[in-house]
Amino acid sequence: MPTAIWGLDFGVSALKVVRGNFEKKTGAITVDLFDQIVYGELPCGYDASPVEKQREGIIEFRKRHQIERQDILCVSVTGSEVFSRFINLPPVPGRLGEIIRYEAGQQIPFDLNDVLWDYQPVKDELEDGEEIEVGLFAIKQRRVDELLDVLGSWRDNLRVVQNAPLAVFNLLEYENRLEEPTIVLDIGASTTDVLVVDPPQFWVRSLLVAGNDLSNALVKKFGVSFEEAEQIKPKVARSRHREQIMRILQPVFGEIASEIQRSLGYYKSLSREVKFEKMILLGSAVQMTGTQRMLARRLQYKVEGFSELRHIQVGDGVDEAELKAALPALVAPLGLLVQGAAQARVHINMVPEQIMLKAAMSEKKPWLLGAAVGLLLVSGLFVASQYLYGEEIRKAQQGYERQLEDVKGFQKWIEKYKEEQSRAKKVRGSDLLLLTKPTIRSDVYIDVLSVLSQTLPTDVYLLSLDVGWLEPDEVKDLGSAVGATGGGMPADFFGGDTEQSGDVTKSASSELVAYFSAESRVTMEPEQFIEREVIRALQKARAPGSQKRLFTDVRQASPLGEVWRDSKTGKRVDKENAESPARFFSFRAYGIVNISSGGE
């Protein structure tokens, strides 16, 4: 059975929920459950703080539904909680990541340490020399922490934190409702989200006038409670006071229309050639009779509702009539369903890095496990070859086994390692003898691998390691590669493909160098992360069984490279064509082994 995907839209007045699944073979998304939990019907009422209402909403949700351990959870927050800005950047796609990080610091009006942010180019394809328009989106870390606290034990299921207007965009795009210039109005309780789509470009803005202003107008005129006003709005069509109520609400609709026109006027000043004829109206306010007609008259656009799904399938247990009536309020959570299925065009995601890393580790990605096994097999063969040639080397092997048992995350591979080691003991006269030449002490490779395994953060994955002698000038050239585009391991590093690979001739001035490549899953300020958590950490690392540092110096030996991998197979992929791409940053680094620590 396909993994269930939950979409939870944390609105101001209600928690809106959908559940569905994605069938990879057919590419079909099916919704099999939907629900709306109105905060006003809970003990907290409408007057509670947003966090308290959401907490009560989740308590009620737990009574009705259960998210299983393997399920995917995607949530959205109101547009007013997310800072958004669209900027134009120079046509340098190769340096986009570097430039956008600088612009984020300039454009986002908060300390970047206090927010979670993401970006996305507005257009998928660019002409030569064309400026790159990018959407920047940020949410305060404190707000996400509140959400995680509300979710409780389900926080580990969290895979997406999205801006509600962008979730709406993903659903309408998936449903092929945005093939022409279109204005989308989502009238919520406290904000009206304006989504402007001029294919392939999009733009969003949240207006602080919405459904609650309609309710407050009724409270002021009739002297009823807010809860009573909320109950009046859906019943306007059947009320004998219908005309009177609509006259009371006209000024509020006029204010909403004026704010919308002001926003559209701003957008048209940026894109003068665009012409809009269609407007899609969404949100709970749509259920009130007269809303669509009144806005159409004031804004002079053809206004459509949203009452059918063209591509998302409806499960057998879903009442289609009820779903159709609720659709205008469920567009955002349905858009989360699309993003959770990795079918969304906009992939903005503000889930904390540590949550995603924990998810990646707990799901035991096959490619990560394969990398771990590969390292152990190489190390096992290396140690086994040494085992054949003396008691001193045998002691080094035993020390390595103890170190291996201490390395977090490698315990499960000890048995596999020992199995391969047993096979390697039978090897005689193989090329593995090259690794035991007297110019490099037999346990240096073991020490370096052990320190790397223990020092590298869980979100940095070791891909390769080599140890050998280099002359000072060669080391200097190696260090200068970090400033060069595409810098990296020299073609003839440690002798290239010669039989001396891994063991070159040592001179009096030679330095013993450990050279490794790795990938980092951390995408927020990756340069600072790698410098702090990898380079500096290794500079302080101690040699096993010694108080001396293993390296006299550690430096990055290549610029960061953006790498996309399939989150399930681990294979490198083209981001645009991947089903579920995950972004990594690749880099290479080297450390000069401290000879006095025992590394000779």
Side-chain angles (χ1 to χ4, degrees), residues 581-599:
R583 183 167 62 161
F584 291 78
F585 285 97
S586 63
F587 67 96
R588 298 185 177 92
Y590 70 93
I592 300 175
V593 180
N594 182 6
I595 302 301
S596 64
S597 71

Side-chain angles (χ1 to χ4, degrees), residues 336-440:
L336 294 173
L337 190 63
V338 173
Q339 186 167 357
Q343 302 300 301
R345 182 189 156 196
V346 175
H347 52 73
I348 294 296
N349 191 357
M350 294 168 285
V351 170
E353 201 74 49
Q354 62 270 26
I355 298 291
M356 296 301 291
L357 291 171
K358 184 176 181 180
M361 297 301 292
S362 65
E363 290 168 6
K364 295 181 174 63
K365 301 293 190 233
W367 64 278
L368 290 179
L369 301 183
V373 172
L375 282 174
L376 287 174
L377 294 182
V378 171
S379 304
L381 292 172
F382 173 80
V383 176
S385 68
Q386 294 182 326
Y387 184 84
L388 302 173
Y389 300 100
E391 183 64 23
E392 180 181 355
I393 298 176
R394 188 154 40 246
K395 291 179 181 178
Q397 174 203 19
Q398 294 170 351
Y400 176 71
E401 288 184 346
R402 291 193 298 271
Q403 294 160 14
L404 185 64
E405 291 174 353
D406 292 334
V407 176
K408 184 178 180 181
F410 277 29
Q411 290 91 332
K412 295 183 180 180
W413 302 105
I414 292 175
E415 293 303 319
K416 184 67 176 178
Y417 154 74
K418 290 182 177 179
E419 178 184 341
E420 295 300 326
Q421 182 190 53
S422 177
R423 295 177 185 174
K425 287 180 181 179
K426 301 176 182 179
V427 177
R428 293 293 188 274
S430 72
D431 290 340
L432 291 174
L433 295 176
L434 291 172
L435 296 174
T436 64
K437 287 189 175 181
T439 53
I440 300 179

Side-chain angles (χ1 to χ4, degrees), residues 121-125 169 173 178 197-203 345:
V122 171
K123 295 176 66 175
D124 295 329
E125 297 182 2
F169 174 87
E173 176 80 8
L178 302 176
V197 182
D198 181 15
Q201 296 173 293
F202 63 92
W203 180 84
R345 182 189 156 196

Side-chain angles (χ1 to χ4, degrees), residues 160-460:
V160 173
V161 173
Q162 180 60 284
N163 186 14
L166 297 184
V168 168
F169 174 87
N170 281 332
L171 187 277
L172 296 178
E173 176 80 8
Y174 184 79
E175 289 285 307
N176 292 336
R177 298 293 293 267
L178 302 176
E179 296 175 331
E180 59 184 290
T182 304
I183 302 164
V184 182
L185 298 182
D186 188 357
I187 305 178
S190 64
T191 60
T192 295
D193 294 325
V194 180
L195 170 63
V196 177
V197 182
D198 181 15
Q201 296 173 293
F202 63 92
W203 180 84
V204 296
R205 173 171 286 184
S206 293
L207 310 178
L208 299 179
V209 54
N212 284 352
D213 296 282
L214 297 171
S215 299
N216 288 328
L218 297 176
V219 169
K220 184 177 180 180
K221 183 64 178 180
F222 295 115
V224 297
S225 67
F226 187 86
E227 289 80 359
E228 291 171 325
E230 285 288 293
Q231 294 172 7
I232 290 173
K233 289 192 299 184
K235 302 174 183 177
V236 169
R238 301 188 302 273
S239 173
R240 57 178 179 168
H241 303 295
R242 173 182 173 180
E243 296 301 325
Q244 182 183 5
I245 291 173
M246 295 308 294
R247 283 197 300 271
I248 293 169
L249 297 180
Q250 276 188 12
V252 181
F253 280 116
E255 185 179 358
I256 294 174
S258 295
E259 289 296 321
I260 293 170
Q261 287 173 331
R262 188 175 293 112
S263 294
L264 294 178
Y266 172 76
Y267 181 82
K268 289 177 180 179
S269 70
L270 303 176
S271 183
R272 299 181 183 277
E273 296 181 359
V274 65
K275 293 183 179 180
F276 297 105
E277 295 183 356
K278 185 176 73 172
M279 176 179 287
I280 299 176
L281 188 60
L282 306 172
S284 300
V286 177
Q287 298 174 348
M288 189 176 72
T289 301
T291 300
Q292 185 170 324
R293 175 175 52 83
M294 193 169 293
L295 287 175
R297 187 176 71 247
R298 288 180 176 273
L299 296 172
Q300 296 297 301
Y301 289 112
K302 176 187 176 183
V303 179
E304 302 178 358
F306 187 79
S307 58
E308 66 172 341
L309 293 172
R310 297 175 179 173
H311 297 291
I312 290 184
Q313 299 179 8
V314 179
D316 294 336
V318 176
D319 187 313
E320 293 195 39
E322 291 184 4
L323 178 61
K324 180 177 180 179
L327 269 182
L330 295 177
V331 176
L334 285 168
L336 294 173
L337 190 63
V338 173
Q339 186 167 357
Q343 302 300 301
R345 182 189 156 196
V346 175
H347 52 73
I348 294 296
N349 191 357
M350 294 168 285
V351 170
E353 201 74 49
Q354 62 270 26
I355 298 291
M356 296 301 291
L357 291 171
K358 184 176 181 180
M361 297 301 292
S362 65
E363 290 168 6
K364 295 181 174 63
K365 301 293 190 233
W367 64 278
L368 290 179
L369 301 183
V373 172
L375 282 174
L376 287 174
L377 294 182
V378 171
S379 304
L381 292 172
F382 173 80
V383 176
S385 68
Q386 294 182 326
Y387 184 84
L388 302 173
Y389 300 100
E391 183 64 23
E392 180 181 355
I393 298 176
R394 188 154 40 246
K395 291 179 181 178
Q397 174 203 19
Q398 294 170 351
Y400 176 71
E401 288 184 346
R402 291 193 298 271
Q403 294 160 14
L404 185 64
E405 291 174 353
D406 292 334
V407 176
K408 184 178 180 181
F410 277 29
Q411 290 91 332
K412 295 183 180 180
W413 302 105
I414 292 175
E415 293 303 319
K416 184 67 176 178
Y417 154 74
K418 290 182 177 179
E419 178 184 341
E420 295 300 326
Q421 182 190 53
S422 177
R423 295 177 185 174
K425 287 180 181 179
K426 301 176 182 179
V427 177
R428 293 293 188 274
S430 72
D431 290 340
L432 291 174
L433 295 176
L434 291 172
L435 296 174
T436 64
K437 287 189 175 181
T439 53
I440 300 179
R441 240 187 67 169
S442 58
D443 56 352
V444 170
Y445 189 96
I446 302 172
D447 287 349
V448 172
L449 180 61
S450 176
V451 168
L452 286 173
S453 300
Q454 296 180 64
T455 306
L456 293 180
T458 57
D459 40 23
V460 173

